[in-house]
Amino acid sequence: PARKRFLREARTAAQVRHENVVQIYAVEEQPLPYLVMEFIPGEPLQQRLDRSGPFDAAEVVSIGRQVADGLAAAHAAGLIHRDVKPANLMYDITSDRLKLTDFGIARLTDSSRTRTGIILGTPSYMSPEQLSASKVSGQTDLYSLGVTMYHLLTGAPPFQADSIPRLMDKIVHQK
């Protein structure tokens, strides 16, 4: 069952073809299938944020548009990323574009319910639905994109706490 699920999700991810999504190739070798990702010359936005601080508003708007376009292509293929954050957005210096990467915890729309007791993703960027192990949709990626844009603009995510449970409580209950 795990191999079949891996292959199904790998094939779906490999079908997403968009200038703002890293190209993934599903290789079905025996005894183990694997994924190969295109090489992107550049750096993750988190690295630039750490080095240079917040981005200017016009750049954040451009980033948001590019990532939203890439997410729309993934969602159209039935794929929910579930971990949109600055570390998973690569700036490609050769094309002067953003590329959404790391579909490692992405799930197909029809199997998007998080298993009980398991949280997948980076808590600061997760939607309330993800944190409460509810059914997720493409809207969870849009929530995470909004948090990412806020972080790029201000230098910090909107919700912060000294523990994961407190952080989760803020995300679920505060505006």
Side-chain angles (χ1 to χ4, degrees):
R3 180 185 176 94
K4 281 185 177 183
R5 186 174 63 242
F6 173 82
L7 285 171
R8 186 185 66 210
E9 291 174 3
R11 287 182 199 120
T12 301
Q15 290 175 7
V16 178
R17 302 247 194 262
H18 192 275
E19 66 185 9
N20 299 115
V21 176
V22 65
Q23 185 59 59
I24 297 170
Y25 304 92
V27 182
E28 298 183 35
E29 292 289 323
Q30 294 296 335
L32 292 174
Y34 57 94
L35 298 177
V36 176
M37 182 179 86
E38 79 173 289
F39 174 74
I40 303 171
E43 70 179 350
L45 292 187
Q46 184 65 55
Q47 204 170 351
R48 180 172 155 211
L49 185 63
D50 292 344
R51 183 180 66 248
S52 304
F55 293 52
D56 67 55
E59 194 169 16
V60 172
V61 169
S62 174
I63 289 165
R65 182 195 54 76
Q66 292 181 67
V67 177
D69 286 349
L71 286 171
H75 295 164
L79 201 60
I80 300 169
H81 189 281
R82 298 183 355 156
D83 200 22
V84 177
K85 61 184 178 181
N88 288 339
L89 302 175
M90 287 287 290
Y91 172 69
D92 183 343
I93 59 173
T94 59
S95 67
D96 192 34
R97 271 191 197 104
L98 254 304
K99 293 221 181 207
L100 181 60
T101 68
D102 195 1
F103 282 80
I105 65 167
R107 292 287 178 261
L108 296 174
T109 306
D110 64 356
S111 62
S112 59
R113 187 177 295 275
T114 304
R115 289 179 290 168
T116 303
I118 297 176
I119 293 178
L120 300 173
T122 306
S124 294
Y125 302 90
M126 291 172 69
S127 69
E129 297 85 349
Q130 275 180 288
L131 291 172
S132 63
S134 299
K135 183 176 172 81
V136 297
S137 67
Q139 291 177 347
T140 200
D141 286 341
L142 296 180
Y143 177 93
S144 299
L145 174 56
V147 172
T148 296
M149 292 174 67
Y150 182 99
H151 187 174
L152 294 174
L153 194 59
T154 66
F159 298 107
Q160 299 175 54
D162 58 2
S163 71
I164 300 258
R166 285 191 180 114
L167 176 64
M168 291 169 66
D169 184 65
K170 283 184 173 186
I171 292 169
V172 170
H173 295 105
Q174 289 185 4
K175 290 186 178 190

